Amino acid sequence: MTDATADPVQLDDLADPRFPAEIEPLRQMMASMAPECPLDADVLHAKAVAETGLDDFGADDYRERLDVFLAALQEIPNLHAAGVVNFHAQLLQWLKNRLLLTDLLHRHPEIHDIELVAPIVIAGLPRTGTTHLHNLLAAGPTFRTIPYWESNEPFPLPSEIGVEPDPRRVRMDAAVEFMNAVMPHFALMHEMTTDHVHEEIQLLANDFSSMLFETLAHVPRWRDYYLTHDQTPHYEHLKTQLKALQFLRGGRRWLLKSPQHLEQLPVLNHVFPDVVVIVTHRDPLPVVLSMLAMLAYSARMHCSPVPVDGIAASWVDRLERMLGALIRDRDVIPSQRSIDVRFDDFMADEMGTAATIYDLAGESFGGEARAAMLGYLEGHQRGRLGRVATSAQMFGLDERELQARFSPYIERFLS
C-alpha cells in the first residue's frame, strides 16, 4: 500500500512513453505477431469461427459498425505493432462473444422470457465517485454486478463449461498483470483487478456500438458515426446479454455503471422503463484533467509518440457535449426514480449516501449489507494507492477557458 500523503506521481512521459525494461521482450514478441493479427474483418471472423466452433454471429447489422471502427483504427497516428495486436485481440473477443451469445440463445430460448427487476444505474463522468460508489454498493449481497473477467468474456467457450478454475478468470489474471506492467501508474487513476466490479459498457462493445471505443483510442471517425446513430437497438442487445448472464450465474437485481448513460438517458429509460438512476457530480475541472491524464497515459498501449494535446482537445469537446446532453435530458428520469449525488457529499457520508440509494430503490438496508460495505470502506481508503499530478498546462489547455465551457453544467448541478 502506498502512503496517501506521498507526493503525487508526475507523468512526464505522456507524449513519449517510456516502458519498463522488463516488458520489452514481451512487447517485441507482440510486435512480431502483428503480421498474423491484421485489423481485417474477414480474418477476424474466420478466427472467431475457428476458435469457437460456431458460425452464427446473429443479426449482421453489426458489420457496418465493425467496418467503421476498423477504418478508424487504421487512421490512428503512430499506431505501433503491439497496439495492432492488442486491438486485434479485443475485436476477436467481441466477435467470439457474439457467437457464444447467439449459440446460448438458440439452446436456451427461455432466456428471452426472463423479466429483469428494475436495474440501478450509476451515471457520471469518471473521477466523480462512480467507481467508488459502484464498488461500495456492490459489496453487499443485494445486487448483481459484472466482475472484470465476466465483462470481457461473458459467455464460456463450449469446451470450457464447468472447468475449474474458470479459464476466463485465469486469462484475465494474465491480462491485468500485463496491463499493470506496461502502465504501472494506471492503478493510481483507476484500479483494475480480475474481480473488480466493471462496467456494462464492455458488453455494449459486443454489438459494436459503445462509447468504450472512444476511450480505447483517439478515433474521430468512430466518434462521429456513433453520435449520429440511435443507440436504442444496442441497449436492447445489452438487455438481452444481462438476461443471459443472469441465466448463467444468477442474481436478482442488476447494479450497472457507465459514463455513456449521461448522454443516453432517454434510451436508457425506454429500454429499462423502471430504471433507477444515480447521477454523480463533481467540479468538472479536476474531473476533466484527471480523465485526460488517464486517456493520454493509456494511449501508450497502442501508439507512440502520443498526440497528447490532440487527445485533450477532442475530449474536452466530447465531455462538453456529454454534459450538455445531461442538462437537456436529466428530467427524463423522474425524481421518484433518480437522485443527484455530489462528490463532496458522498465523500462526507458514504454510508448515508448508500442508505439513501437503497431507500430510493426500495431495498432494505439491513445488517448484512451494512457490514459488507463497512468492510469495503475499511480496505479502500481514498488515495491509498497514491495519486497522479495533473494540470491544464500538461494538455495545452487553459483553466479559465475550461471553467467557462463547463459553466452551464456547474450552474445546473453544482450551484
Side-chain angles (χ1 to χ4, degrees), residues 14 289 292 308-313 316 391-399 401-402 405:
L14 286 180
L289 296 180
L292 294 180
V308 175
D309 289 1
I311 291 173
V316 169
S391 69
Q393 291 72 29
M394 287 172 60
F395 309 105
L397 301 172
D398 180 86
E399 284 193 13
E401 181 184 343
L402 288 174
R405 292 183 67 170

Side-chain angles (χ1 to χ4, degrees), residues 29 166 194 213 229 263 267 270 297 329 337 341 363 370 372:
M29 181 189 73
D166 193 320
T194 297
F213 298 168
H229 285 74
E263 63 181 6
V267 172
H270 174 76
Y297 184 65
D329 297 330
R337 293 191 282 112
V341 175
E363 296 286 351
R370 288 177 180 272

